[in-house]
Amino acid sequence: MPEHHSAQRALVVGASGISGQAVCRRLIAEGWEVTGLNRSELSLDGVQGLQADLLRPETLEPLRDLAPHAVFITTWMRMETEAENIRVNRLAMANLLAALEPAGSVAHIALMTGLKHYLGPFEAYASGASADTPFHEEEPRIEIPNFYYAQEDELFASAERLGFTWSTHRAHTVIGFATGNTMNMALTLGAYAEICRATGTPFIFPGSATQWNGVTDVTDVDLLSEQMVWAATTPAAADTAFNITNGDVFRWRWMWPRIAEHFGVPWEGHNGEDRPLEARMGGAAEIWARIVAEHHLVEPDLARVASWWHSDSDLGRPIECFADMRRSRERGFDNNRVSLRSFLDAFDRYRAAGVLPAR
């Protein structure tokens, strides 16, 4: 790409998500013209919204005239089974690439995936077939069907045929600030802590003994956006898969008490059995409504604030999860974050936005 890309056009697919919003902010800060593709109406400062459905090719026709230079894909569609995940997400990727092809404008596509590249899908976590930690990018795919692989195969074939470069970005649990998005552990834990404070109940770790005691890491969403934009503008990053985590590691038995202290609530660790949030938060909507009324918060619908299943899936893994960051560093990307600070900063930003109560 040209060194001065103030006139460069970027397309962010899934712009309303936590990762998509961060990529949009990063691109705008660096002077790009940004269009955000989303199934629902989009309202982000400085971003031109394009409402489209990746499963309906006719809604993607405007991409011919947009002619983006770089594309950032930060979305996926969750289905009931991995077979359906593969079918639907492969089709979505194929439709997007077909819509971009006529303009011939794309120089780079950056695809966000995740550590399920090494772990396999949710339904295969306990199979024992995952890669060993720390996860290295050069390890072969595991022998379990995975929608990430289907997305990649469509991307790689298109890149080879049309001559653009690609990068993939394997994030772990993504932490950060986003409006109107629930698949974010920081916001889910923040809402959970406030519910505990309002009810006088302990802040109970909901996950597995392995996650409580084992080494893990997370990905600050702003760091993810920095790496994706870096890869789209750096020749050394072309046609490469990258892990992206904060660069530090921790154990939840260390992190959990610190989050509890931040919210001023008593806590409990793993007590010999898993205690997932989804099974315990059945009546939480009414408690949240009272918290919203008392503190004049902006989002009364708890389902738009907390995603119990999503945090349960991360914290309930029966295997250790953390990734090696050597490849990024060798190619010139050495940005990093402190994971505790990623959580605390996200909580503060949600308070400032009126999503969580002010302290």
Side-chain angles (χ1 to χ4, degrees), residues 4 19 112 120 126 131 160 191 201 204-205 227 232 247 269 288 297 314 339:
H4 302 289
S19 303
M112 176 189 169
E160 184 175 0
T201 55
I204 297 171
F205 181 74
Q227 191 196 59
W288 182 253
L297 303 183
D314 280 348
S339 293

Side-chain angles (χ1 to χ4, degrees), residues 103-282:
S105 61
V106 175
H108 186 89
I109 295 182
L111 169 66
M112 176 189 169
T113 62
L115 294 195
K116 287 192 291 294
H117 183 95
Y118 308 106
L119 299 169
F122 292 129
E123 60 199 58
Y125 273 174
S127 69
S130 64
D132 197 10
T133 52
F135 302 134
H136 298 90
E137 295 97 336
E138 63 270 19
E139 292 167 356
R141 292 176 174 180
I142 62 175
E143 296 297 324
I144 298 175
N146 190 320
F147 83 88
Y148 285 161
Y149 304 161
Q151 287 181 308
E152 288 179 341
D153 289 344
E154 292 290 334
L155 176 61
F156 299 161
S158 183
E160 184 175 0
R161 185 175 71 255
L162 300 177
F164 61 81
T165 59
W166 58 266
S167 57
T168 59
H169 304 266
R170 300 170 184 166
H172 195 177
T173 301
V174 176
I175 303 300
F177 175 82
T179 56
N181 179 267
T182 61
M183 288 180 61
N184 177 1
M185 186 187 287
L187 183 52
T188 297
L189 294 185
Y192 174 40
E194 292 295 346
I195 290 168
C196 291
R197 185 159 67 165
T199 57
T201 55
F203 185 58
I204 297 171
F205 181 74
S208 68
T210 300
Q211 290 304 306
W212 179 250
N213 293 309
V215 174
T216 192
D217 53 21
V218 294
T219 303
D220 189 294
V221 72
D222 292 331
L223 182 67
L224 168 65
S225 71
E226 290 167 13
Q227 191 196 59
M228 293 184 78
V229 176
W230 165 81
T233 56
T234 302
D239 302 333
T240 306
F242 294 101
N243 291 331
I244 178 61
T245 63
N246 283 357
D248 62 358
V249 295
F250 62 91
R251 302 178 197 273
W252 277 108
R253 69 189 188 202
W254 178 90
M255 182 71 77
W256 198 254
R258 285 158 176 78
I259 294 176
E261 180 182 13
H262 182 76
F263 283 93
V265 292
W267 61 273
E268 291 182 14
H270 194 276
N271 69 346
E273 63 178 355
D274 296 2
R275 293 179 283 180
L277 290 166
E278 193 166 27
R280 294 190 289 113
M281 292 291 111

